[in-house]
Amino acid sequence: MGKCIGVLTAGGDSPGLNAAIRAIGKSALTAFNLQVIGFRDGFRGLMENRTVHLEGEILSGLLTQGGTILGTSRDKPHKMPVGSKVLDMTEVIIDNYHRHNLEALICIGGGGTQKNAHRLTLAGMNVVTLPKTIDNDVAMTDITFGFDTALSIATNAIDRLHSTAHSHHRIIVVEIMGHNTGWLGLGAGLAGGADVILIPEIPYDLHQVAEAIRRRRHRGKNFSIVAVSEGALAQEDARELAELKEKKQEARDEKKQKKVAAALDAFQAKHAGNTMRLSAHLEQLTGLESRVTILGHVQRGGTPTAADRILATRLGSACVTAIDARQYGCMVAVKGESTTLVDLAEVVGKRKVVPLDHPWIKAALETDTCLGNQVS
């Protein structure tokens, strides 16, 4: 076997992963005469040395398939569950990397994957990453593949909910994924014509939301669509979370750290039912029947859009080109119509959030969409 590169997909699944795998395989084989080994189920497959050679028929027909043929997991190299223990398996991963005589390892994933890949880079491995996530929150890239497909699915869901909301004179509260950023909720709400959009970047005032719905009712609009990001918080909850995070940073001894960690866990558990509570409060405040639709993982599935297929193909091809040029320890990022290489140290520990002066926010405000609070 000639020169060889490895590839794995880690973190949550996302539309476009198979398109990226296909692009890597075809570019490596045809343009650079490189063999490609896929590792199954993310970093765990690399640790357990579970592989598949990516060539020929395996790469055929992948472009339109959702999910990932390699499988994925959220396991971390330095915190890997093994039996009843959690162990640092970095050395085992490095041994398997060298066993296959890899020129480089390609890690495809979101923010957590970028961080784990950076750790492997510091441990001496040649690593290049690709940014994928439906949340679009990876730093230092204009967009991640998977986002456009999820945005289309969420928008289509809001479109379909308009008719039932109108027919029954209801408030329909739609929970949209996005982790702790509002790209998906804001984009889908704007494209789907939601009347209220709530995102994590703008902690909301429940009474302002209710008042916006009441104003619509006075104008003869007997229904409202509320698009809420899963990470959106009411103002009082946002203050509580900020205080807990500040205490976590200030905690020095182990006892205080455990106490704050327990408080954060309790906060997250409470927030898990936030959309249902929001719906109930809006029903009480407006007198309109309110129903909740949680889109959940349906946003991750299905055939990737043309935009995501093209983006994943571009990034996959650019990734192999970077490896051929021996450019490692970097992420292939999107900048305008081009791709660029960004040092992983510039990516890790950061999250791309929606800036308050973003054109989408401006457009929402100018089309009389309530964002739950005044935006300055």
Side-chain angles (χ1 to χ4, degrees), residues 167-217:
S167 299
H168 292 275
H169 310 314
R170 285 173 172 164
I171 300 169
I172 297 290
V173 181
V174 190
E175 183 183 284
I176 300 167
M177 295 179 85
H179 197 218
N180 291 317
T181 59
W183 294 106
L184 200 51
L186 177 60
L190 196 60
D195 307 295
V196 178
I197 302 174
L198 306 178
I199 61 175
E201 291 84 351
I202 306 174
Y204 61 85
D205 181 334
L206 182 62
H207 294 283
Q208 284 193 33
V209 177
E211 178 58 28
I213 293 172
R214 284 194 294 264
R215 284 199 305 269
R216 279 179 51 80
R217 191 176 188 183

Side-chain angles (χ1 to χ4, degrees), residues 75-347:
D75 291 315
K76 304 174 183 179
H78 65 297
K79 291 182 180 180
M80 187 81 66
V82 180
S84 60
K85 299 180 179 180
V86 176
L87 304 175
D88 184 346
M89 302 301 289
T90 303
E91 289 302 320
V92 176
I93 283 173
I94 293 173
D95 287 344
N96 286 334
Y97 170 89
H98 289 299
R99 180 180 301 178
H100 292 286
N101 295 312
L102 297 181
E103 296 288 313
L105 174 70
I106 300 169
C107 301
I108 311 175
T113 301
Q114 309 302 322
K115 188 178 295 184
N116 290 322
H118 183 52
R119 289 193 181 99
L120 295 182
T121 295
L122 296 177
M125 290 172 54
N126 296 333
V127 179
V128 180
T129 70
L130 298 186
K132 72 84 197 156
T133 169
I134 67 169
D135 304 331
N136 196 36
D137 63 350
V138 176
M140 309 303 291
T141 184
D142 289 353
I143 194 169
T144 59
F145 68 84
F147 173 67
D148 187 74
T149 304
L151 182 62
S152 297
I153 292 169
T155 300
N156 182 261
I158 294 173
D159 289 346
R160 291 173 180 271
L161 288 167
H162 268 281
S163 58
T164 186
H166 181 271
S167 299
H168 292 275
H169 310 314
R170 285 173 172 164
I171 300 169
I172 297 290
V173 181
V174 190
E175 183 183 284
I176 300 167
M177 295 179 85
H179 197 218
N180 291 317
T181 59
W183 294 106
L184 200 51
L186 177 60
L190 196 60
D195 307 295
V196 178
I197 302 174
L198 306 178
I199 61 175
E201 291 84 351
I202 306 174
Y204 61 85
D205 181 334
L206 182 62
H207 294 283
Q208 284 193 33
V209 177
E211 178 58 28
I213 293 172
R214 284 194 294 264
R215 284 199 305 269
R216 279 179 51 80
R217 191 176 188 183
H218 292 155
R219 296 198 301 266
K221 303 288 187 180
N222 290 320
F223 74 96
S224 292
I225 302 289
V226 179
V228 53
S229 297
E230 61 182 352
L233 291 169
Q235 290 176 323
E236 56 271 23
D237 290 334
R239 285 193 291 268
E240 180 184 350
L241 181 59
E243 289 171 3
L244 287 172
K245 287 182 176 180
E246 187 176 346
K247 289 179 180 178
K248 182 180 180 180
Q249 290 181 338
E250 294 174 350
R252 293 291 179 263
D253 61 82
E254 187 176 350
K255 185 177 179 180
K256 286 184 178 179
Q257 289 172 355
K258 287 183 177 180
K259 185 178 180 179
V260 175
L264 280 167
D265 288 343
F267 178 89
Q268 295 299 337
K270 180 184 74 172
H271 181 68
N274 184 60
T275 303
M276 299 300 295
R277 288 194 300 275
L278 170 66
S279 175
H281 288 149
L282 289 177
E283 189 170 279
Q284 292 170 1
L285 291 171
T286 65
L288 287 171
E289 187 178 33
S290 182
R291 291 291 182 268
V292 173
T293 296
I294 298 176
L295 299 184
H297 288 77
V298 70
Q299 295 160 99
R300 291 189 183 278
T303 301
T305 60
D308 271 336
R309 296 182 210 180
I310 292 169
L311 179 57
T313 300
R314 287 174 55 207
L315 292 175
S317 174
C319 182
V320 180
T321 301
I323 290 172
D324 183 67
R326 299 182 180 279
Q327 295 177 295
Y328 309 126
C330 57
M331 179 184 78
V332 184
V334 180
K335 292 297 177 186
E337 295 301 313
S338 303
T339 58
T340 187
L341 301 179
V342 180
D343 193 309
L344 281 172
E346 296 296 314
V347 180

Side-chain angles (χ1 to χ4, degrees), residues 50 56 73 122 146 150 165 173 356:
R50 292 187 285 113
S73 72
L122 296 177
V173 181
L356 297 185

